[in-house]
Amino acid sequence: AETYFAAPADEPGALEVGILRGVVACRRGEYRAARAEALRALRARRTGAPVQTASALLLLGEVHGYLGHYGRARGYLERALGVAEGLGDRWLASEAHLLLSRTHRAAGAYEGALRDGLAALGQKRAVGDPL
């Protein structure tokens, strides 16, 4: 993936590589490294890379959710959702809703978990995501 995204040698591609590194780190439980990659992507964006902004915000939300910082996680995820909706990117919006649902559930906010889970399901079906 790194070779694929780095090939265009543009800033969005470079940001995507960093975000992917962060996702891998997050899935390995390396939350500090994941957070650093997401923050680096947010600070580096100068050319208006809104998809990468949303992806970095999703990653920050996921990391803070795993750390039990549910309020902070929701803040990042709601910002990511706003960016995704502004772009009309239903897949990114579905990911934001999915992570919001998981965060609400972990925090014991079951109404929010159900609301965002159903929103994620509807959007994933609409874009053909088999998840």
Side-chain angles (χ1 to χ4, degrees):
E2 186 169 342
T3 302
Y4 172 81
F5 284 110
D10 61 2
E11 187 176 33
L15 294 176
E16 197 67 38
V17 168
I19 293 164
L20 288 172
R21 281 190 195 120
V23 169
V24 169
C26 183
R27 303 293 154 72
R28 290 180 173 160
E30 300 165 359
Y31 303 123
R32 190 175 272 183
R35 183 176 179 273
E37 289 289 355
L39 290 172
R40 189 173 302 123
L42 286 176
R43 281 192 296 267
R45 61 183 167 80
R46 290 186 189 86
T47 59
V51 170
Q52 289 74 22
T53 297
S55 295
L57 291 167
L58 284 174
L59 178 55
L60 283 169
E62 185 173 11
V63 165
H64 283 285
Y66 282 130
L67 293 173
H69 306 152
Y70 304 126
R72 189 174 288 177
R74 281 192 303 270
Y76 284 123
L77 295 170
E78 287 167 359
R79 285 175 55 199
L81 178 60
V83 173
E85 288 175 339
L87 292 169
D89 190 322
R90 294 189 334 196
W91 185 83
L92 273 173
S94 75
E95 287 294 296
H97 278 296
L98 186 63
L99 290 170
L100 276 164
S101 178
R102 187 168 66 189
T103 301
H104 285 303
R105 182 179 47 82
Y110 301 114
E111 279 186 38
L114 181 60
R115 180 191 62 243
D116 282 302
L118 290 172
L121 179 62
Q123 289 172 333
K124 288 196 172 295
R125 283 182 175 155
V127 298
D129 187 329
L131 179 62

